[in-house]
C-alpha cells in the first residue's frame, strides 16, 4: 500500500492578512506550518501504512523554505518526501498547482492512494485535491470522514455531506480529501525528529517532472482575482435567557419576526 | 529563563515535552485531578513520542540520555500537571534498579517495553512500618529451589496497580538487617501478587498510589536483581539517581504556579489598575522567579553530575530535591496568595499547584531525611 500525501505550507495564523494592493496573502513575519487539514491526511496515511504496510510519501509544491514542513512530515513518520520547487511555478492558481502536483505524482508512479486535506486554511479553495485526481484521471472521494475498508483493489469510505454522510466505494488508485473528523493526528516522535534532521529532501524542478511550460505558474493559471477581502467577523449570537418556556416563546417570536 | 546551553537533542526533548504539556496535558489536568482517573491517554502520547526512553540506552530501545534528559521532560510535564508527570517519572524510578544492577538478560527483557512506554514500571520499597526508616522493611523473600516466595505488604506505591513491572525490595535474610535486603522484579499478574486500595490524596491525584500485597507470591530466581543482600544499597543508589527528578518535578510546579500568577496579576484590576503594577505583588513575583530559577540551576547541575557518571552524587542530588521542593511549596503558596480569593477556588489553577507541591517535600525521602543525607555527606567529606 503506497500512499502519497499532499501537504501545503501555510502561515500559522487564523487571522491571515491580505495585502490590499496585490491581493496576495501577507506571509512575511508569520511562522509557516503544515496546513492543519493536511495533518489529518498525514495521520490517515500513517495509520493505513501501519495497517497494510507499504510507505508514505509526503509531497509539496512551494518555495525552498517549504522543506521545513517536509522534515516535519518525516518526524511524524513519513518515509519519503518530495519538494516540487521551481521559479516557474510562481503565481500558480489551483489549476496549475493541481497539474504540477499530478506531474510529480506521475513521476513517483507507484501509488495506490493519494490523500489530501479537505482544503488549505489560507486559500480555502478545496480545489487542488480534486484537481490532481482529474488531471491524473483517477477516482476521487472528497470530504472523507472514515476509511471503512480497503480490499481487493477497492476502497470503501464514508464522505461527509451537509445532511449526513455517504458510503462510497471506489477502485484504487484513488484520491481522498479528508475532514478533521477522520482522526486525531499524532505528535512527532523524538526518533522521528532525529531522522528528520538528517533526512535528504528530494527537490524536483519543472523539467524533472516533465511539466509543460504553458500549464504551470502564471501562464497555466486562468484564474483572475478581482478582489479578496476579510469577511466581517460573525456577529455575536443572541441569548434568550429565563425560564425554558419563556425563552422558547421569545425565540419563536424572534424567528417569526425574521420571516416577515 | 537562564540559557542552560542544552544540546540539540536535549532541546528537542524539552520542546517535545513542552508540546505534549501544552496540547495534551493542560487541557485535561483539572479533569484528571478531579476524577483521579489514570491518565493512560497521556501515557500513550508520551510513549509514542519516545519520551519514556530518554534515559535508557539505545541498545534497549531508548534515546541514550540520562537523568538530566529525564529531568527536562519531567519539569515540562509538571508545569502542566505534576500528577501526570509523576506517572511518567515513577516508571523511571522502577526501571533504574534494573538499569543500575540488572543483568543483561533482565535489561533485554524489561527495558525495551519501558522505553517505548508500552509498560509502566514502579518501585516498591515503602511499607507501613518502613517509611523514613527504610531499613525496617518486613516483606520477605524466601528461596525455595528455583524460586523465591514473597510475603508482605508495600504501601504508597506510585503507579501501583497500573504498572506491569515492579522492582521490589524484600528481606532475604532478616538477621543481617539492611545487608539482608534484596531486589526483585515482580510482574503484574504473578499469582499471589495483588493490589490494595487506591489512596485518596491531597495532590498529584492523576497518579495512582496503591498497596502491593504479596501472599506466597512465587517468582523465578532469575528475577533477583544483582546479588542477595545488595538490595538496600541498590535502593539508595536508585534514589541518588531519582532525586533530581523530584527536584525537576518541583521546578515544573513552581514555574507553572509562577506563570499562572503572573498572567493573573496582569489581568486582575483593583483600585483602577492591574495588580501587577503594585510593588507588593511585583516583589512577590520577583522572589518567586528568582527562587524558581535558583532551584532549576541546582537541579540541572546535580542531574548533569549524575549524567557525567560522577561518584557520590547523593549529597548534591539531596540538595536539589530539598531546595527545589521547598521552593515549589513557597512559590505555589504565594501564587495562591496573588490569586486572592480566586486562588482558593478549584476553578482556578493556583490551588492545584499548592496541593501538588506538598508531596515533593515528603516523598523520595522527606526533606528532613534529605538534610540528614546532606549533613552526613558534609561530615564525611570534611573527615577526608
Amino acid at each position: 500500500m503506497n500512499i502519497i500525501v499532499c501537504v501545503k505550507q501555510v502561515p500559522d495564523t487564523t487571522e491571515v492578512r491580505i495585502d490590499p494592493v496585490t491581493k496576495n496573502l501577507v506571509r512575511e513575519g508569520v511562522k509557516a506550518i503544515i496546513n492543519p487539514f493536511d495533518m489529518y491526511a498525514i495521520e490517515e496515511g500513517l495509520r493505513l501504512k501501519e495497517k497494510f504496510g507499504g510507505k508514505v510519501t509526503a509531497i509539496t509544491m512551494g518555495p525552498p523554505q517549504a522543506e521545513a514542513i517536509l522534515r516535519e512530515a518525516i518526524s511524524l513518520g513519513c518515509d519519503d518526501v518530495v519538494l516540487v520547487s521551481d521559479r516557474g511555478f510562481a503565481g500558480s492558481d489551483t489549476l496549475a498547482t493541481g497539474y504540477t502536483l499530478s506531474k510529480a505524482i506521475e513521476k513517483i508512479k507507484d501509488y495506490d492512494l493519494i490523500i489530501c486535506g479537505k482544503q488549505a486554511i489560507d486559500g480555502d479553495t478545496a480545489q487542488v485535491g480534486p484537481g490532481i485526481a482529474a488531471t491524473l484521471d483517477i477516482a476521487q472521494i472528497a470530504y472523507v470522514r472514515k476509511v471503512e475498508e480497503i480490499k481487493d483493489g477497492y476502497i470503501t469510505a464514508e464522505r461527509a455531506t451537509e445532511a449526513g454522510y455517504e458510503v462510497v466505494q471506489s477502485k484504487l488508485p484513488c484520491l481522498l480529501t479528508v475532514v478533521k473528523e477522520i482522526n486525531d493526528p499524532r505528535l512527532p516522535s523524538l526518533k522521528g525528529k532525529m531522522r528528520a534532521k538528517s533526512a535528504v529532501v528530494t527537490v524536483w524542478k519543472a523539467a524533472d517532472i516533465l511539466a509543460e511550460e504553458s500549464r504551470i505558474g502564471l501562464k497555466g493559471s486562468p484564474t483572475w482575482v478581482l478582489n479578496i477581502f476579510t469577511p466581517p467577523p460573525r456577529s455575536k449570537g443572541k441569548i434568550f435567557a429565563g425560564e425554558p418556556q419563556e425563552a422558547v416563546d421569545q425565540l419563536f417570536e424572534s424567528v417569526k419576526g425574521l420571516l416577515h | 529563563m537562564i540559557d542552560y546551553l542544552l544540546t540539540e537533542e536535549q532541546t528537542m526533548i524539552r520542546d517535545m515535552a513542552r508540546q505534549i504539556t501544552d496540547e495534551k496535558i493542560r487541557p485535561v489536568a483539572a479533569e484528571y485531578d478531579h476524577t483521579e482517573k489514570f491518565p493512560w491517554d497521556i501515557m500513550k502520547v508520551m510513549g509514542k513520542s519516545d519520551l519514556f526512553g530518554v534515559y535508557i540506552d539505545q541498545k534497549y530501545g531508548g534515546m541514550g540520555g540520562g537523568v538530566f534528559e529525564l529531568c527536562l521532560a519531567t519539569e515540562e510535564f509538571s508545569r502542566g500537571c505534576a500528577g501526570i508527570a509523576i506517572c511518567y517519572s515513577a516508571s523511571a524510578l522502577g526501571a533504574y534498579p534494573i538499569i543500575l544492577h540488572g543483568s543483561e538478560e533482565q535489561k533485554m527483557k524489561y527495558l525495551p517495553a519501558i522505553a517505548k512506554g508500552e509498560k509502566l514500571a514502579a518501585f516498591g520499597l515503602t511499607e507501613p512500618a518502613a517509611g523514613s526508616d527504610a531499613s525496617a522493611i518486613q516483606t520477605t523473600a524466601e528461596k525455595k529451589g528455583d524460586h523465591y516466595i514473597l510475603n508482605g505488604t508495600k504501601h504508597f506505591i506510585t503507579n501501583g496497580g497500573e504498572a506491569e513491572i515492579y522492582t521490589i525490595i524484600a528481606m532475604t535474610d532478616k538477621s543481617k538487617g539492611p545487608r539482608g535486603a534484596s531486589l526483585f522484579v515482580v510482574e503484574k499478574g504473578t499469582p499471589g501478587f495483588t493490589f490494595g486500595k487506591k489512596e485518596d490524596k491531597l495532590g498529584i491525584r492523576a497518579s495512582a498510589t496503591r498497596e502491593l500485597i504479596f501472599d506466597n507470591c512465587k517468582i523465578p530466581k532469575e528475577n533477583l536483581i544483582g546479588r542477595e543482600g545488595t538490595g538496600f544499597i541498590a535502593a539508595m543508589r536508585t534514589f541518588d539517581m531519582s532525586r533530581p527528578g523530584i527536584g525537576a518535578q518541583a521546578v515544573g510546579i513552581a514555574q507553572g504556579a509562577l506563570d499562572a500568577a503572573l498572567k493573573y496579576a496582569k489581568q486582575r484590576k483593583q483600585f483602577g489598575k492591574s495588580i501587577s503594577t503594585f510593588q507588593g505583588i511585583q516583589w512577590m513575583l520577583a522572589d518567586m522567579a528568582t527562587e524558581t530559577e535558583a532551584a532549576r540551576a541546582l537541579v540541572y547541575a546535580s542531574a548533569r553530575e549524575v549524567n557525567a557518571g560522577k561518584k557520590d552524587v547523593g549529597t548534591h542530588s539531596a540538595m536539589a530535591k530539598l531546595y527545589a521542593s521547598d521552593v515549589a511549596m513557597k512559590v505555589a503558596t504565594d501564587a495562591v496568595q496573588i490569586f486572592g480569593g480566586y486562588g482558593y477556588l478549584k476553578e482556578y489553577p493556583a490551588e492545584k499547584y499548592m496541593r501538588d507541591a506538598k508531596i515533593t517535600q515528603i516523598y523520595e525521602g522527606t526533606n528532613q531525611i534529605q538534610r540528614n543525607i546532606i549533613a552526613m555527606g558534609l561530615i564525611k567529606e570534611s573527615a577526608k
Side-chain angles (χ1 to χ4, degrees):
Chain A
M1 187 84 188
N2 289 333
I3 299 162
I4 294 171
V5 178
C6 302
V7 295
K8 183 180 185 186
Q9 188 191 34
V10 295
D12 182 11
T13 172
T14 42
E15 293 165 26
V16 176
R17 283 192 308 121
I18 289 155
D19 187 313
V21 180
T22 64
K23 310 289 183 204
N24 282 329
L25 299 170
V26 179
R27 292 176 194 274
E28 286 73 35
V30 185
K31 192 183 158 241
I33 55 165
I34 296 182
N35 172 41
F37 288 113
D38 300 345
M39 293 296 276
Y40 300 99
I42 293 176
E43 179 64 32
E44 201 57 26
L46 294 173
R47 287 185 187 192
L48 291 173
K49 176 190 123 176
E50 282 159 8
K51 204 165 160 190
F52 298 106
K55 67 175 188 177
V56 178
T57 306
I59 174 172
T60 192
M61 181 185 106
Q65 306 89 283
E67 187 192 297
I69 62 158
L70 291 177
R71 289 197 188 278
E72 196 183 334
I74 295 172
S75 76
L76 290 163
C78 291
D79 303 277
D80 282 331
V81 291
V82 176
L83 170 62
V84 190
S85 188
D86 194 308
R87 281 181 175 279
F89 298 143
S92 293
D93 67 0
T94 53
L95 185 73
T97 305
Y99 168 75
T100 307
L101 286 170
S102 68
K103 292 304 283 182
I105 290 167
E106 273 177 1
K107 188 176 161 83
I108 296 172
K109 221 159 52 185
D110 184 21
Y111 63 90
D112 305 288
L113 203 59
I114 301 167
I115 311 178
C116 307
K118 71 160 182 164
Q119 66 196 51
I121 57 160
D122 50 3
D124 283 325
T125 65
Q127 290 171 356
V128 172
I132 294 169
T135 315
L136 289 171
D137 198 20
I138 59 170
Q140 57 175 294
I141 310 174
Y143 305 111
V144 171
R145 64 170 207 180
K146 188 183 175 189
V147 173
E148 274 190 356
E149 195 178 41
I150 296 180
K151 219 171 106 182
D152 307 327
Y154 280 87
I155 180 169
T156 312
E158 282 178 14
R159 66 181 296 262
T161 66
E162 278 185 13
Y165 69 94
E166 297 169 356
V167 180
V168 181
Q169 193 174 56
S170 158
K171 204 169 182 269
L172 294 175
C174 168
L175 180 140
L176 313 179
T177 75
V178 297
V179 294
K180 70 176 199 288
E181 288 73 23
I182 194 164
N183 56 43
D184 181 15
R186 70 193 63 192
L187 294 174
S189 69
L190 287 172
K191 285 180 185 168
K193 283 192 167 194
M194 305 287 277
R195 204 166 48 241
K197 216 172 61 178
S198 55
V200 179
V201 173
T202 307
V203 183
W204 287 344
K205 294 195 161 298
D208 297 322
I209 56 171
L210 309 174
E212 289 171 40
E213 216 178 304
S214 61
R215 296 185 67 182
I216 60 169
L218 269 179
K219 268 192 203 161
S221 301
T223 310
W224 280 85
V225 179
L226 294 179
N227 191 19
I228 295 184
F229 58 93
T230 310
R234 195 180 294 183
S235 59
K236 266 194 183 158
K238 193 173 173 190
I239 293 171
F240 297 95
E243 292 300 310
Q245 184 60 48
E246 216 174 288
V248 169
D249 287 346
Q250 283 176 15
L251 171 66
F252 188 67
E253 286 306 314
S254 168
V255 171
K256 237 166 59 180
L258 288 175
L259 292 175
H260 290 303
Chain B
M1 193 171 139
I2 288 174
D3 185 349
Y4 290 96
L5 307 172
L6 303 183
T7 64
E8 197 179 353
E9 195 167 322
Q10 287 162 350
T11 307
M12 221 181 249
I13 289 168
R14 189 197 57 198
D15 292 350
M16 187 78 251
R18 188 169 287 175
Q19 189 181 0
I20 291 175
T21 302
D22 291 339
E23 291 179 19
K24 306 284 177 184
I25 299 181
R26 280 183 183 282
V28 297
E31 186 197 325
Y32 278 109
D33 177 63
H34 180 65
T35 61
E36 295 187 274
K37 197 180 132 206
F38 194 80
W40 276 116
D41 290 356
I42 313 283
M43 296 297 112
K44 276 191 194 130
V45 173
M46 292 174 178
K48 281 197 169 162
S49 302
D50 301 321
L51 283 161
F52 272 104
V54 293
Y55 61 95
I56 292 174
D57 204 312
Q58 287 176 335
K59 198 170 150 191
Y60 311 112
M63 299 297 296
V67 164
F68 185 41
E69 284 75 9
L70 180 65
C71 284
L72 290 170
T74 303
E75 178 189 339
E76 286 304 323
F77 295 149
S78 302
R79 240 174 8 94
C81 176
I84 291 174
I86 199 64
C87 305
Y88 165 80
S89 56
S91 192
L93 179 65
Y96 258 108
I98 301 174
I99 294 171
L100 293 173
H101 298 278
S103 65
E104 188 57 29
E105 288 75 27
Q106 287 168 337
K107 289 179 186 176
M108 289 305 265
K109 185 170 177 192
Y110 299 111
L111 295 181
I114 295 173
K116 283 202 199 96
E118 288 167 358
K119 290 179 179 177
L120 289 182
F123 184 60
L125 169 73
T126 306
E127 294 183 6
S132 290
D133 182 6
S135 63
I137 43 179
Q138 303 285 318
T139 299
T140 56
E142 194 188 340
K143 195 166 183 188
K144 277 206 171 151
D146 285 347
H147 291 83
Y148 283 94
I149 311 290
L150 268 63
N151 276 294
T153 301
K154 299 285 173 187
H155 82 166
F156 295 168
I157 306 305
T158 307
N159 282 352
E162 309 294 339
E164 297 285 328
I165 299 161
Y166 295 80
T167 44
I168 301 295
I169 298 220
M171 302 304 293
T172 38
D173 187 348
K174 268 192 169 174
S175 67
K176 288 186 181 161
R179 286 175 192 282
S182 304
L183 255 174
F184 299 92
V185 182
V186 185
E187 291 179 55
K188 186 178 180 177
T190 308
F193 175 27
T194 54
F195 303 102
K197 70 172 169 44
K198 184 171 169 176
E199 305 295 348
D200 183 5
K201 306 186 294 292
L202 172 72
I204 56 165
R205 290 168 59 83
S207 72
T209 310
R210 285 194 179 88
E211 277 184 326
L212 314 181
I213 302 159
F214 300 98
D215 181 15
N216 286 319
C217 173
K218 190 174 159 186
I219 56 167
K221 71 175 192 325
E222 289 75 32
N223 287 21
L224 172 71
I225 301 173
R227 295 191 320 276
E228 270 191 28
T230 59
F232 196 70
I233 294 161
M236 293 306 117
R237 276 196 66 197
T238 296
F239 285 137
D240 287 349
M241 305 299 239
S242 65
R243 268 186 232 113
I246 300 300
Q249 185 192 23
V251 170
I253 294 170
Q255 189 65 53
L258 169 62
D259 293 344
L262 179 61
K263 187 175 161 199
Y264 180 81
K266 281 169 24 190
Q267 286 168 354
R268 173 71 174 167
K269 295 224 163 42
Q270 286 290 277
F271 306 103
K273 45 190 169 180
S274 131
I275 65 167
S276 66
T277 62
F278 301 134
Q279 201 173 45
I281 299 287
Q282 288 176 352
W283 285 9
M284 283 176 82
L285 289 168
D287 283 344
M288 289 158 78
T290 307
E291 286 161 23
T292 302
E293 201 61 67
R296 180 179 289 118
L298 184 53
V299 167
Y300 284 13
S302 95
R304 281 176 153 155
E305 212 175 53
V306 177
N307 264 30
K310 266 201 73 178
K311 278 190 175 166
D312 300 327
V313 293
T315 308
H316 294 159
S317 74
M319 286 176 173
K321 189 271 183 188
L322 165 69
Y323 185 73
S325 58
D326 282 353
V327 164
M329 195 64 225
K330 178 172 179 292
V331 169
T333 308
D334 285 348
V336 171
Q337 194 68 25
I338 289 173
F339 270 79
Y342 295 106
Y344 208 65
L345 303 182
K346 292 210 169 179
E347 220 181 307
Y348 288 78
E351 60 85 36
K352 179 177 181 293
Y353 286 114
M354 186 173 159
R355 285 187 287 112
D356 287 349
K358 188 62 209 172
I359 192 63
T360 63
Q361 295 179 305
I362 299 171
Y363 64 11
E364 214 106 327
T366 62
N367 282 6
Q368 287 66 37
I369 289 291
Q370 303 306 322
R371 289 179 172 93
N372 287 355
I373 294 169
I374 296 162
M376 289 307 291
L378 277 179
I379 292 162
K380 216 172 106 185
E381 187 68 24
S382 69
K384 274 183 187 168

